């Protein structure tokens, strides 16, 4: 196992590249080449690839090695459905008290990713928040195509932020979350074409 001061930056660098689609789906992720790219030894790269496999950010097959994950329309719809269920659970378990401000904790996250994380963290359930964060990381590559497929989503984000800030448990927030997920599920084919292009 690599020391934390080496493995964490290596893990984050590989994860960031996966989230941004730097490696097309199905691309073999060769530890030695990635180590050269990141200027680290092969050990932290392998450790990171195994960790990312456990997080379902990387596919691993014995005899074939590590690959950038493939995603089908069905996969995307299933992930969106699960994400909606988790988000609704997070809303249902909101911690009472002052509203958690919407912050952008990570430059790699878009506005929706940051808002979803804020909602998840306010649930007070660390396991639920972790599941939402992990699934959000896997969905990030699809969210990068929002503007191309759906047009400008700033109004959609603004409406969700405003409704959530006003009253986190209001039915309007649930309705907006449902609309967000259904809209993308209906365009799953376009998202997959964009991801695999």
């Amino acid at each position: 196992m690599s020391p934390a001061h080496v493995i964490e930056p290596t893990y984050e660098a590989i994860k960031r590249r996966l989230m941004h689609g730097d490696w097309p789906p199905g691309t073999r992720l060769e530890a030695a080449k990635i180590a050269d790219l990141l200027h680290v030894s092969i050990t932290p790269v392998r450790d990171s690839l195994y960790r990312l496999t456990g997080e379902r950010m990387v596919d691993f097959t014995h005899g074939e090695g590590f690959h950038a994950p493939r995603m089908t329309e069905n996969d995307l719809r299933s992930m969106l459905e699960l994400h909606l269920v988790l988000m609704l659970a997070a809303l249902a378990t909101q911690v009472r008290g002052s509203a958690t401000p919407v912050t952008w904790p990570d430059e790699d996250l878009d506005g929706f990713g940051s808002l979803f994380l804020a909602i998840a963290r306010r649930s007070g359930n660390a396991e639920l928040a972790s599941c939402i964060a992990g699934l959000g990381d896997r969905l990030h590559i699809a969210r990068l195509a929002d503007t191309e497929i759906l047009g400008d989503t700033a109004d959609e984000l603004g409406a969700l932020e405003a409704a959530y800030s006003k009253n986190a448990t209001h039915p309007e927030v649930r309705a907006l979350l449902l609309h967000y997920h259904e809209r993308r599920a209906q365009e799953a084919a376009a998202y997959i074409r964009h991801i695999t292009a």
Side-chain angles (χ1 to χ4, degrees):
M1 181 65 80
S2 304
H5 74 278
V6 176
I7 195 165
E8 284 306 313
T10 303
Y11 163 81
E12 291 295 337
I14 295 170
K15 182 177 175 180
R16 187 176 307 113
R17 283 173 169 81
L18 290 164
M19 288 173 64
H20 289 278
D22 290 4
W23 293 298
T27 300
R28 184 179 170 100
L29 302 175
E30 297 181 39
K33 287 184 180 179
I34 296 171
D36 287 344
L37 175 71
L38 301 179
H39 308 293
V40 296
S41 71
I42 199 166
T43 302
V45 171
R46 278 197 191 123
D47 291 345
S48 298
L49 289 171
Y50 279 116
R51 180 175 168 188
L52 289 160
T53 299
E55 295 172 5
R56 301 187 66 197
M57 295 281 298
V58 168
D59 292 335
F60 176 77
T61 307
H62 289 286
E64 295 181 24
F66 300 100
H67 292 83
R70 297 182 197 278
M71 188 186 301
T72 66
E73 290 177 45
N74 229 12
D75 294 336
L76 179 57
R77 285 189 189 102
S78 294
M79 287 193 294
L80 286 165
E81 183 179 350
L82 177 58
H83 192 263
L84 174 61
V85 168
L86 294 173
M87 292 305 302
L88 294 175
L91 282 177
T93 58
Q94 293 288 290
V95 173
R96 303 251 183 249
S98 63
T100 302
V102 177
T103 59
W104 276 252
D106 186 325
E107 70 272 2
D108 289 326
L109 294 181
D110 60 295
F112 285 109
S114 294
L115 176 61
F116 295 152
L117 265 183
I119 293 170
R121 289 175 178 156
R122 189 167 176 218
S123 74
N125 183 324
E127 291 298 322
L128 182 57
S130 177
C131 289
I132 290 171
L135 191 52
D137 289 346
R138 292 173 58 211
L139 285 167
H140 183 80
I141 193 169
R143 282 199 302 262
L144 292 175
D146 273 355
T147 303
E148 182 177 315
I149 294 166
L150 303 175
D152 188 6
T153 57
D155 288 344
E156 182 182 26
L157 176 61
L160 187 52
E161 286 177 339
Y164 178 70
S165 295
K166 185 170 43 177
N167 183 351
T169 60
H170 194 277
E172 181 185 5
V173 178
R174 291 190 293 278
L176 288 167
L177 282 172
L178 182 62
H179 177 72
Y180 169 93
H181 290 85
E182 285 180 344
R183 189 176 178 205
R184 284 148 182 84
Q186 289 171 355
E187 296 293 340
Y191 278 96
I192 296 305
R193 281 194 300 275
H194 186 273
I195 291 167
T196 58

